[in-house]
Amino acid sequence: MVELQNVSVTYSGGVDALNNVSLKINDGDFAFVVGSSGAGKSTMIKLLLKEIDATSGTVTVNGYNLSKLKKRKIPEFRRTLGFVFQDFRLIPSMTVYENIAFVLRVLDAPLKYIRKRVPYVISLVGLHAKTNSYPDELSGGEKQRVAVARALMNRPAVVMADEPSGSLDSQNKEELHQLFFELRKAYGQTFVIVTHDESLASMTDRTIHIIDGQIANP
Ligand code: ADP
């Protein structure tokens, strides 16, 4: 569950990026956060990852009150999340398999578990045939599928994405969102997808419009 209560973020230059925002995204919701450039979308994602803190108000994600979360607890909190970046952030010298396995390696997961889990998530995102390919041998859509598989490795309760289809053509974009919907249907994760693409708003039951740092449809 993701909840913002009366949250404001004022940057040091005095810009009010979010202004008294309250919203709740329930477990299993598929939420799009939509707004034009400068509306406050990235600020919201940074808040939810605890990359920045609210100037006032309370942010709760997966039962963690982020306003009160101690620095040493941040890694534990982030392990409850999956995150998909717009620019994929794959490691060029690693194969698809290695890019995905890497997530669990850094967490010291047992090798036996990694060997079982990696092929499973690769098949979930439909990339079985590319298991041993390197990122520069993949299309943009395939790279983003690897990034999604990587985000799912840790069985996150919430998957967040900042403009995940931003660098994809319209067909790959459509396929990526279809994949998100399928995963949500099958596994019931919560999805929070930030996008400036208003056309996506009609695809889901939950669209949060941000305009000038405020929620347009609370
Ligand atoms: P979006 O992601 O919707 O484009 P942002 O959350 O990036 O919007 O920005 C919201 C507002 O906050 C904008 O006016 C932007 O210029 C400002 N802003 C964003 N990051 C910073 C920062 N680090 N310092 C000062 N102002 C910022």
Side-chain angles (χ1 to χ4, degrees), residues 133-160:
S133 300
Y134 288 89
D136 67 3
E137 297 168 334
L138 303 176
S139 71
E142 288 165 345
K143 282 184 204 160
Q144 196 54 302
R145 282 170 178 266
V146 179
V148 172
R150 192 180 48 191
L152 296 171
M153 275 304 276
N154 216 14
R155 302 173 184 272
V158 176
V159 179
M160 294 185 203

Side-chain angles (χ1 to χ4, degrees), residues 11 15 17 36-43 46:
Y11 285 111
V15 179
S36 55
S37 177
K41 305 182 299 296
S42 300
T43 300
K46 284 180 193 151

Side-chain angles (χ1 to χ4, degrees), residues 89-91 93-109 114 118 150 153:
R89 303 209 189 168
L90 304 179
I91 300 167
S93 60
M94 290 186 178
T95 63
V96 167
Y97 183 99
E98 291 161 348
N99 263 285
I100 295 170
F102 182 68
V103 176
L104 288 182
R105 291 227 176 92
V106 297
L107 295 177
D108 272 337
I114 296 177
V118 178
R150 192 180 48 191
M153 275 304 276

Side-chain angles (χ1 to χ4, degrees), residues 39-129:
K41 305 182 299 296
S42 300
T43 300
M44 182 176 292
I45 283 282
K46 284 180 193 151
L47 266 180
L48 297 180
L49 294 170
K50 199 168 163 74
E51 284 181 5
I52 59 170
D53 286 313
T55 311
S56 60
T58 308
V59 181
T60 311
V61 179
N62 290 343
Y64 291 83
N65 178 342
L66 301 192
S67 322
K68 293 198 172 137
L69 191 67
K70 298 260 190 309
K71 231 182 179 156
R72 64 185 162 81
K73 289 269 187 188
I74 292 177
E76 173 191 308
F77 156 66
R78 291 211 181 118
R79 285 201 284 275
T80 70
L81 304 173
F83 196 80
V84 181
F85 299 94
Q86 178 179 352
D87 57 1
F88 322 130
R89 303 209 189 168
L90 304 179
I91 300 167
S93 60
M94 290 186 178
T95 63
V96 167
Y97 183 99
E98 291 161 348
N99 263 285
I100 295 170
F102 182 68
V103 176
L104 288 182
R105 291 227 176 92
V106 297
L107 295 177
D108 272 337
L111 204 55
K112 207 171 150 198
Y113 177 69
I114 296 177
R115 286 201 184 122
K116 217 171 119 190
R117 180 85 181 145
V118 178
Y120 175 69
V121 294
I122 288 178
S123 66
L124 271 187
V125 300
L127 278 182
H128 184 68

